[in-house]
Amino acid sequence: MIFNVASLLTAREGAARQASVEDGEVYADRHRFSKINGPVELLRTDRTILVSATITARTDDTCSRCLQPATLDIETEFEEEFEPVNRDLMSDRPAPVESDFDPALVIDSRNMLDMTDALAQALSLAMPLAPICSIDCAGICTTCFANRNDSTCNCDDQPTDPRWRALAELGAQTTNSNS
Ligand SMILES: [Zn+2]
Ligand SMILES: [Zn+2]
């Protein structure tokens, strides 16, 4: 996830280069993201390199329904501008007085653009709030705590009042006809 952008920095504004990330791996917070893949476009703007990428990755978490380990496929549209330490390569106009570089978005003195940290942040933000192990995970029975993916328990989770039951059945029918 490191690109040498020396030639792009000295190219015309608007020049672009296609690259890719293949089978990358990063750590962010408590997650390890692996199998990071996707096409990357590097575009020279007037003072930065704009990196645009459609990234897919895989990580492990806990299913919010059944509390078992869940493997999650994450996708993120990555777009960040990276600023070179060697500003003189891009412009003969005087550089603004030492503005602060974001350390995750800096192109170092050897003209290497490393998107690892910024991508780790983007992947963290792309994590679902309620991860699930599979789209039809049945979750845990709230009465006996059995994992309903493994076994069907005999707990009665239907509302006992017949009027509510009728409503619940109506709801189920509506759901079915919508699917
Ligand atoms: Zn689950
Ligand atoms: Zn149960």
Side-chain angles (χ1 to χ4, degrees):
M1 285 170 271
I2 301 176
F3 307 101
N4 185 332
V5 293
S7 59
L8 208 49
L9 289 174
T10 52
R12 282 176 299 107
E13 183 178 342
R17 198 178 108 200
Q18 307 303 320
S20 64
V21 175
E22 280 161 30
D23 211 19
E25 182 177 294
V26 298
Y27 290 83
D29 297 332
R30 59 197 174 85
H31 288 105
R32 168 179 171 265
F33 295 92
S34 63
K35 299 197 187 320
I36 302 176
N37 287 291
V40 176
E41 186 188 69
L42 306 161
L43 175 73
R44 189 206 191 277
T45 72
D46 60 342
R47 286 189 181 278
T48 66
I49 302 289
L50 173 66
V51 178
S52 311
T54 303
I55 298 292
T56 56
R58 179 162 285 188
T59 191
D60 296 307
D61 205 337
T62 303
C63 176
S64 59
R65 290 187 196 162
C66 68
L67 308 182
Q68 295 301 302
T71 300
L72 306 178
D73 289 313
I74 309 293
E75 185 168 338
T76 184
E77 296 291 330
F78 180 90
E79 193 168 285
E80 292 288 356
E81 284 186 87
F82 289 74
E83 210 178 344
V85 170
N86 297 325
R87 284 174 161 142
D88 52 328
L89 285 179
M90 298 193 89
S91 167
D92 41 8
R93 283 173 292 166
V97 191
E98 267 333 294
S99 65
D100 289 335
F101 288 110
D102 180 335
L105 300 174
V106 71
I107 300 167
D108 73 12
S109 56
R110 294 171 302 126
N111 304 314
M112 303 301 263
L113 185 160
D114 185 353
M115 67 186 287
T116 308
D117 289 348
L119 184 58
Q121 288 172 24
L123 287 169
S124 287
L125 290 173
M127 286 288 290
L129 292 175
I132 47 174
C133 62
S134 101
I135 191 85
D136 44 28
C137 171
I140 281 181
C141 171
T142 51
T143 306
C144 73
F145 302 109
N147 183 345
R148 286 183 160 164
N149 298 310
D150 299 336
S151 59
T152 48
C153 61
N154 294 319
C155 301
D156 182 6
D157 63 351
Q158 295 294 322
T160 42
D161 186 316
R163 285 168 301 174
W164 286 115
R165 184 169 296 177
L167 257 182
E169 278 162 12
L170 194 66
Q173 283 166 19
T174 314
T175 313
N176 288 343
S177 61
N178 284 346
S179 64

